[in-house]
Amino acid sequence: RRCISDPTTGTMENLVHTVNKLQDTFEKCGFSESPVDLPQIMVVGSQSSGKSSVLESIVGLDFLPRGKGIVTRRPIMIQMVYTESAVTPWAEFHHHAPRRKFYDFSEVRKEISDETERVAGKNKAINPKAISLKVFSKDVVDLTLVDLPGLTRIPVGDQPEDIERLIRAMVLSYIERKNSIILAVHPANADLATSEALQMAKAVDPEGYRTVGVITKLDLMDQGTNAVDMLSGKHIPLRLGYVGIVNRSQADIDQNTSVANSKACEAKFFERHLEYRHLKGSMGSDYLAKYLSRLLIDHIRQSLPKLRSQISDRLGAYKKELLEIEPAWLGSDDPSARMLQLITKFSNDFVSALDGRLHESLTSELYGGARINFIFYEVFGEELDNMDPFHELTSSDIRIALRNSAGHRNSLFIPESAFEMLAKRQISAFLSVSLTCADLVYTELFRLLTTLSTATLPHHPSLRAAVHTTLLALLHAARDAAKAQIRALVAMELSFVNTKHPDFVAARAAAAAAAAAAAA
């Protein structure tokens, strides 16, 4: 496996370009995850394992955010594109449209941080949605790496208590893909048997057929010790072997030492170290980048038949679904006209359901306009009929109200203020019943909206979601306006009691006649 060719020569590197184009196409089509299992390299490591330094050494640029705790809180897909004409390297982000070219890689670092905060929040929460980054340079090999959040155990910030489980589940969802190559990063100054990255890799790749070990921080081992046994695979054998790396020190980072200078120091370390000198041809960041590129190209080549079959199957399934949606969409010169037809059909069906003219109306239950009619005349009407004018109004309440309204004087007649106060208290009871009626009508309209949008637009999820969101906002606004009108009507009745109303006058005459009859 040590005999590899330069991936920047020949034509096989076009395979990496092809896979990258597929990934870009899937993202443009709105897929949150690739519908097929594309060959990619997943970078796994615990916090402070030197994972970021490994990635920056491979890319040859200082561009990843740094700090304490979890820094990588979203997966970062890094597509390295060998560009011979690139005098100055640049980067592009997929979420910028049209894509902006970043020549200053400190801005790349800031953009990664800003995009992470936009989706995952400003504290320490994580999010599985990947950031897609492309780096164009004449000093890179064609390679695609996915930097996964560092494995941790203790929650910080607004992280949930089960942050360890959440990160492991996210990492596992990436490395369990059969077409993925796992790059397990582990520091040389820690026992390899405790490596969380290798433990997770072994869980999904027990034979080690698709796992590459990277041993970092070789220069930080205790004097008199070395990592030769680790690198040779005596402790935990891997079919793809191990590569040793010398990371940039914190002092180098603080002093803004370039990645190129750090690589030169790394090369001198392997040349001068007695234990590693014989391995210098298969150690270091440059070798790792070329080795991973060759591995990825070979892996893509081996996966091509199955990958082609998967794409063909998915394409056939989508074409079949497209035919089921509507033949008129295929080859249509004006798709917007067809979309307008669908929206018009939905609108007509909605109106028909309210008017009782929808042919697909249910027979097992009231639906649409019939249900709303039932709410008004049966549910709401029955509530009004069952309202007791003297509900929670006792003789004692009336007596006390009359005496309070008379004050310190004895009253010969019934005080009007007492009557109005008692009447308004009972009138206010109409408010809750009327608001409940409005909520019931809203619920039925919402059910009608959901049912018809699903039935009319079954194969158009984006259009269905847009229609549903728009009409739901209109329903909310209409319900709020209706409730405001109900409150205004009740407030009008409370503001003035019309004792000249015919019903009130008739009731007063009937009471007087009854009193006269009793006196006679």
Side-chain angles (χ1 to χ4, degrees):
R1 69 102 166 158
R2 300 298 185 186
C3 298
I4 63 172
S5 59
D6 187 347
T8 60
T9 62
T11 59
M12 289 305 295
E13 69 273 9
N14 291 330
L15 291 175
V16 179
H17 294 170
T18 301
V19 171
N20 288 344
K21 286 181 180 179
L22 284 173
Q23 182 66 45
D24 292 344
T25 301
F26 294 146
E27 289 180 357
K28 289 178 181 178
C29 291
F31 287 101
S32 57
E33 294 184 1
S34 172
V36 296
D37 186 10
L38 294 177
Q40 292 173 333
I41 298 176
M42 311 299 179
V43 186
V44 187
S46 60
Q47 285 188 44
S48 303
S49 63
K51 182 164 61 71
S52 295
S53 293
V54 171
L55 290 168
E56 289 183 336
S57 295
I58 292 174
V59 178
L61 296 163
D62 188 354
F63 68 98
L64 290 174
R66 294 181 180 274
K68 296 180 180 179
I70 296 180
V71 179
T72 304
R73 298 187 287 124
R74 290 175 59 187
I76 305 175
M77 181 182 297
I78 307 168
Q79 296 180 1
M80 298 159 53
V81 183
Y82 173 71
T83 309
E84 188 175 3
S85 60
V87 178
T88 303
W90 77 86
E92 295 178 3
F93 287 91
H94 175 77
H95 58 269
H96 281 286
R99 293 185 180 179
R100 169 188 166 191
K101 291 184 178 181
F102 290 78
Y103 291 95
D104 184 350
F105 279 80
S106 63
E107 292 185 6
V108 173
R109 183 186 302 111
K110 183 178 183 302
E111 183 64 26
I112 292 175
S113 298
D114 292 345
E115 181 64 14
T116 298
E117 290 182 359
R118 186 183 68 82
V119 176
K122 292 189 176 182
N123 214 318
K124 297 295 182 180
I126 63 172
N127 190 284
K129 186 177 180 181
I131 297 174
S132 183
L133 169 67
K134 280 189 175 184
V135 177
F136 300 83
S137 172
K138 60 182 177 60
D139 298 319
V140 300
V141 294
D142 292 303
L143 186 61
T144 299
L145 302 167
V146 180
D147 182 20
L148 298 173
L151 301 171
T152 186
R153 294 183 180 274
I154 301 175
V156 295
D158 61 356
Q159 292 176 344
E161 292 297 322
D162 59 344
I163 185 64
E164 179 184 3
R165 181 187 63 80
L166 294 175
I167 292 180
R168 284 179 172 272
M170 183 195 300
V171 171
L172 189 64
S173 68
Y174 277 84
I175 66 175
E176 66 183 359
R177 302 170 186 175
K178 298 301 181 183
N179 275 344
S180 67
I181 297 174
I182 305 168
L183 192 67
V185 181
H186 181 76
N189 53 1
D191 188 356
L192 195 62
T194 64
S195 173
E196 293 183 275
L198 285 174
Q199 288 175 8
M200 291 198 70
K202 191 172 182 179
V204 296
D205 180 32
E207 300 299 326
Y209 283 110
R210 54 186 183 92
T211 302
V212 179
V214 177
I215 307 299
T216 63
K217 304 182 181 181
L218 292 174
D219 56 328
L220 299 182
M221 297 187 72
D222 294 336
Q223 189 172 1
T225 63
N226 60 72
V228 173
D229 288 345
M230 287 187 192
L231 295 170
S232 61
K234 288 184 178 180
H235 295 311
I236 301 177
L238 295 175
R239 299 296 180 95
L240 300 180
Y242 292 83
V243 178
I245 295 292
V246 175
N247 298 76
R248 284 195 300 166
S249 66
Q250 188 60 47
D252 292 336
I253 296 172
D254 294 340
Q255 295 170 9
N256 293 322
T257 302
S258 68
V259 176
N261 288 340
S262 297
K263 283 185 176 183
C265 293
E266 179 187 52
K268 290 180 181 179
F269 173 84
F270 287 115
E271 288 176 359
R272 296 173 180 177
H273 199 288
L274 295 177
E275 302 295 339
Y276 304 130
R277 186 181 300 168
H278 67 289
L279 298 173
K280 66 178 182 179
S282 57
M283 294 286 133
S285 305
D286 287 337
Y287 172 81
L288 178 61
K290 293 179 181 180
Y291 177 52
L292 291 178
S293 182
R294 185 72 260 165
L295 273 181
L296 183 59
I297 290 171
D298 291 342
H299 193 56
I300 294 172
R301 183 169 52 189
Q302 294 171 8
S303 305
L304 272 180
K306 187 176 181 180
L307 191 61
R308 186 182 291 111
S309 177
Q310 288 180 352
I311 294 175
S312 179
D313 291 343
R314 295 305 296 265
L315 185 60
Y318 288 135
K319 284 184 177 179
K320 182 179 179 182
E321 183 179 355
L322 187 59
L323 288 172
E324 291 175 354
I325 291 173
E326 200 68 58
W329 284 95
L330 299 178
S332 175
D333 294 332
D334 189 6
S336 58
R338 179 57 190 155
M339 187 179 298
L340 182 60
Q341 291 176 8
L342 288 172
I343 296 174
T344 302
K345 183 180 185 304
F346 169 80
S347 302
N348 292 337
D349 287 348
F350 196 92
V351 174
S352 297
L354 293 177
D355 291 343
R357 294 182 284 106
L358 192 65
H359 298 300
E360 293 81 7
S361 295
L362 301 175
T363 57
S364 58
E365 64 176 346
L366 293 177
Y367 180 74
R371 178 70 181 175
I372 294 174
N373 179 279
F374 175 80
I375 291 171
F376 277 126
Y377 290 97
E378 299 293 335
V379 179
F380 182 57
E382 187 175 345
E383 285 286 339
L384 294 179
D385 292 339
N386 291 335
M387 288 182 67
D388 181 5
F390 295 97
H391 179 62
E392 295 184 354
L393 186 63
T394 64
S395 299
S396 176
D397 294 334
I398 297 174
R399 189 181 305 112
I400 292 173
L402 291 173
R403 296 186 66 176
N404 284 335
S405 62
H408 66 279
R409 296 179 296 274
N410 291 323
S411 177
L412 297 176
F413 303 98
I414 297 176
E416 186 174 333
S417 60
F419 169 77
E420 285 193 3
M421 186 269 292
L422 294 172
K424 287 179 180 180
R425 196 170 90 174
Q426 301 308 99
I427 290 172
S428 63
F430 285 94
L431 180 61
S432 61
V433 177
S434 302
L435 292 177
T436 300
C437 177
D439 285 330
L440 291 174
V441 173
Y442 167 83
T443 301
E444 178 57 27
L445 290 173
F446 175 77
R447 184 172 76 119
L448 188 62
L449 165 63
T450 303
T451 303
L452 287 180
S453 62
T454 302
T456 308
L457 308 168
H459 302 295
H460 308 81
S462 297
L463 178 60
R464 183 171 67 247
V467 169
H468 194 276
T469 301
T470 302
L471 291 187
L472 187 59
L474 290 175
L475 281 180
H476 273 293
R479 181 189 60 178
D480 293 343
K483 286 188 171 184
Q485 185 67 19
I486 290 171
R487 291 188 179 93
L489 289 173
V490 174
M492 291 177 191
E493 296 297 333
L494 290 172
S495 65
F496 180 74
V497 178
N498 182 15
T499 57
K500 299 296 184 180
H501 192 279
D503 290 343
F504 186 84
V505 173
R508 184 171 56 183

